[in-house]
């Protein structure tokens, strides 16, 4: 169905691939985009972990759409907010005429699941499928009048801006939590009984196997502080459909905040498998999730009751210590955890090695004071993450309705109306 002023076109009529090159020396970790630092499930991009080794890379500009062309089912896409360079495995899509096509409208058109389903279905290769560039340009889209394009993009952008604001708040909260941990438990400037910084106010320090520590603090093995929930063994039978029982693997542990990223969960089990298959049980609120294979040493806190852990993840359930303190401590020693790597081809760590790691245990009153502060920070982060899941769901439900014209935006008063 088409509407007055709407027309159906293919991408090639209104957009093209950018193929301009720039010297690799001109890109930085902040503006270099490759398939590795593009985030799955339409989550944008992260910081690059390395710079290109080639002499030149493809240029992109603010307002371009970057699309990962490897394994398109990962749904990696980004609306560029700056200028930079990208690898050859990233497509740069530009619109031909801004008087005919709004950049943000084009981005939201390509953000739809239908588009990624199409690119996946027309891709080439099996082990590492690549999008067919010609087929992508033959993808059909609906093109309303420009003012309606802008109105649609504005509604969706408002949701994305709120999501981004929550992400930025969470990033700052994480920085605050780690800074407080360092101040109290690395610099040992936690408040003494008078409220003054302990070490610089002359607090007594004693020698230990971890160096000088406050008097009365202890050193324990991790094994004495946690029980291990470990489901390694046979791979469970997977559901062909998305269910309420996601498998939390290493991809779900990536990112800067402490909450499991369920958007990165791509495997699911059914209810019966969830209830019967996992020999060690399921994670509970407060468990610390640690990746042991692949991207090792990634850490998240488990909140709620959603999901089961994969073979490359273990859950640490604390005893006789605050899970919030231990989580922050393990984040601080992440490099030491990574040093337990025994893998030659694929990085991996044995939990039997990690369990022997020495942990600094503060006095109970100091631990309790720290936990109370971090608890408030953690629940703020958790609530923001929950809100973002809801906003993403709203956005993704609105997308096809707005782009198909099922929901129209009358230009007279800006009020949404629904076509029956």
């Amino acid at each position: 169905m088409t509407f007055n002023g709407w027309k159906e076109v293919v991408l090639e009529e209104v957009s093209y691939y950018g193929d301009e090159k720039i010297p690799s020396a001109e890109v930085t970790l902040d503006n270099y985009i490759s398939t590795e630092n593009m985030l799955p499930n339409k989550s944008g991009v992260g910081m690059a972990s390395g710079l290109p080794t080639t002499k030149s890379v493809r240029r992109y500009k603010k307002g371009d759409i970057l699309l990962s062309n490897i394994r398109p089912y990962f749904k990696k896409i980004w609306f560029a907010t700056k200028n930079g360079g990208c690898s050859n495995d990233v497509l740069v899509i530009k619109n031909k005429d801004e008087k005919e096509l709004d950049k943000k409208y084009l981005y939201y058109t390509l953000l739809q699941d239908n588009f990624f389903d199409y690119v996946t279905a027309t891709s080439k290769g099996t082990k590492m499928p690549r999008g067919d560039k010609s087929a992508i340009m033959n993808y059909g889209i609906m093109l309303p009048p420009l003012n309606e394009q802008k109105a649609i993009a504005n509604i969706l952008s408002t949701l994305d801006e709120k999501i981004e604001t929550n992400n930025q708040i969470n990033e700052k909260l994480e920085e605050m939590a780690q800074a407080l941990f360092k101040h109290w438990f690395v610099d040992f400037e936690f408040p003494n009984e008078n409220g003054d910084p302990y070490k610089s106010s002359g607090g007594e320090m004693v020698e230990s196997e971890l160096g000088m520590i406050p008097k009365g603090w202890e050193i324990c093995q991790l094994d004495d502080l946690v029980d291990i929930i470990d489901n390694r063994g046979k791979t469970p039978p997977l559901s062909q459909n998305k269910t309420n029982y996601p498998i939390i693997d290493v991809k779900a542990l990536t990112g800067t905040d402490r909450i499991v990223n369920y958007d990165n969960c791509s495997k699911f089990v059914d209810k019966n498998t969830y209830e019967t298959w996992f020999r060690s049980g399921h994670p509970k609120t407060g468990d610390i999730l640690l990746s042991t294979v692949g991207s090792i040493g990634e850490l998240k806190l488990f909140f709620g009751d959603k999901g089961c852990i994969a073979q490359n993840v273990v859950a640490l359930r604390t005893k006789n210590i605050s899970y919030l303190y231990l989580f922050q401590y393990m984040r601080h020693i992440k490099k030491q955890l990574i040093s337990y790597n025994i893998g030659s081809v694929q990085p991996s760590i044995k939990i039997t090695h990690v369990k022997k790691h020495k942990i600094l245990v503060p006095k109970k009153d100091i631990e309790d004071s720290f936990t109370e502060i971090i608890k408030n920070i953690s629940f703020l982060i958790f609530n923001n993450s929950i809100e973002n899941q809801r906003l993403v769901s709203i956005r993704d439900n609105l997308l096809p309705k707005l782009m198909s014209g099922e929901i129209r935006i009358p230009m007279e008063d800006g009020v949404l109306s629904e076509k029956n």
Side-chain angles (χ1 to χ4, degrees), residues 249-313:
D249 61 13
V250 63
K251 296 190 298 295
L253 304 192
T254 56
T256 57
D257 70 44
R258 63 193 57 213
I259 307 301
V260 172
N261 186 353
Y262 288 103
D263 288 339
N264 286 353
C265 292
S266 57
K267 298 177 181 179
F268 301 82
V269 296
D270 60 27
K271 183 178 181 181
N272 181 64
T273 301
Y274 176 80
E275 293 175 345
T276 61
W277 185 270
F278 299 93
R279 60 185 181 186
S280 295
H282 303 295
K284 297 180 180 179
T285 293
D287 285 353
I288 300 168
L289 306 185
L290 169 69
S291 62
T292 58
V293 179
S295 182
I296 56 178
E298 298 292 343
L299 293 157
K300 292 287 186 183
L301 279 175
F302 187 83
F303 285 93
D305 58 358
K306 185 179 179 182
C308 39
I309 53 176
Q311 296 185 60
N312 55 10
V313 173

Side-chain angles (χ1 to χ4, degrees), residues 328-339:
Q328 217 67 51
Y329 189 96
M330 293 184 72
R331 270 206 163 177
H332 181 72
I333 62 168
K334 181 177 178 178
K335 290 183 179 179
Q336 297 175 44
L337 298 177
I338 293 174
S339 72

Side-chain angles (χ1 to χ4, degrees), residues 20-291:
E20 182 184 355
K21 300 290 186 179
I22 58 170
S24 294
E26 293 185 17
V27 300
T28 66
L29 291 176
D30 183 57
N31 68 9
Y32 176 61
I33 306 298
S34 70
T35 58
E36 284 74 21
N37 66 314
M38 294 192 78
L39 305 178
N41 292 307
K42 317 170 192 176
S43 299
V45 297
M47 180 75 72
S49 58
L51 292 173
T53 56
T54 54
K55 290 184 179 180
S56 64
V57 292
R58 186 173 290 142
R59 181 194 296 274
Y60 69 84
K61 295 182 179 181
K62 183 177 180 180
D64 289 343
I65 298 164
L66 274 60
L67 179 71
S68 173
N69 201 36
I70 294 179
R71 293 174 175 158
Y73 49 78
F74 282 136
K75 303 178 183 179
K76 295 182 177 182
I77 189 170
W78 180 54
F79 183 84
T81 56
K82 54 194 169 189
N83 301 331
C86 61
S87 71
N88 288 330
D89 291 321
V90 176
L91 302 179
V92 177
I93 300 177
K94 299 171 174 283
N95 70 337
K96 289 182 176 179
D97 186 354
E98 292 188 29
K99 294 180 180 179
E100 181 180 15
L101 176 63
D102 180 71
K103 292 178 180 179
K104 270 291 182 75
Y105 177 84
L106 176 60
Y107 166 69
Y108 285 115
T109 296
L110 304 187
L111 199 69
Q112 297 178 86
D113 286 338
N114 284 344
F115 172 69
F116 286 101
D117 292 343
Y118 171 84
V119 178
T120 300
T122 58
S123 62
K124 297 179 178 180
T126 53
K127 288 187 177 181
M128 189 177 287
R130 293 172 180 267
D132 183 317
K133 293 175 66 174
S134 296
I136 291 171
M137 279 296 164
N138 280 321
Y139 181 71
I141 66 172
M142 296 299 298
L143 205 63
L146 186 63
N147 62 342
E148 195 165 354
Q149 293 178 37
K150 291 180 180 293
I152 290 170
N154 182 62
I155 289 173
L156 298 168
S157 292
T158 300
L159 293 170
D160 276 339
E161 286 165 8
K162 176 57 178 171
I163 292 169
E164 180 58 26
T165 296
N166 285 342
N167 287 335
Q168 291 174 1
I169 292 171
N170 282 358
E171 186 176 336
K172 292 301 180 184
L173 289 171
E174 290 289 358
E175 291 173 2
M176 288 170 52
Q178 199 60 29
L180 182 65
F181 176 87
K182 181 179 182 298
H183 189 63
W184 281 33
F185 303 111
V186 178
D187 303 330
F188 301 119
E189 297 291 22
F190 56 89
N192 64 15
E193 61 274 9
N194 298 318
D196 299 319
Y198 180 86
K199 187 176 180 180
S200 58
S201 298
E204 186 174 357
M205 305 289 288
V206 297
E207 186 66 46
S208 79
E209 55 190 308
L210 294 180
M212 300 298 290
I213 63 173
K215 184 179 179 180
W217 291 25
E218 299 179 29
I219 307 295
C220 295
Q221 280 193 170
L222 179 63
D223 193 28
D224 297 324
L225 303 172
V226 300
D227 291 321
I228 306 296
I229 310 300
D230 185 354
N231 285 321
R232 280 178 287 189
K234 294 187 300 181
T235 302
L238 301 178
S239 170
Q240 296 300 310
N241 303 309
K242 187 174 182 178
T243 71
N244 292 324
Y245 308 100
I247 295 181
I248 301 169
D249 61 13
V250 63
K251 296 190 298 295
L253 304 192
T254 56
T256 57
D257 70 44
R258 63 193 57 213
I259 307 301
V260 172
N261 186 353
Y262 288 103
D263 288 339
N264 286 353
C265 292
S266 57
K267 298 177 181 179
F268 301 82
V269 296
D270 60 27
K271 183 178 181 181
N272 181 64
T273 301
Y274 176 80
E275 293 175 345
T276 61
W277 185 270
F278 299 93
R279 60 185 181 186
S280 295
H282 303 295
K284 297 180 180 179
T285 293
D287 285 353
I288 300 168
L289 306 185
L290 169 69
S291 62

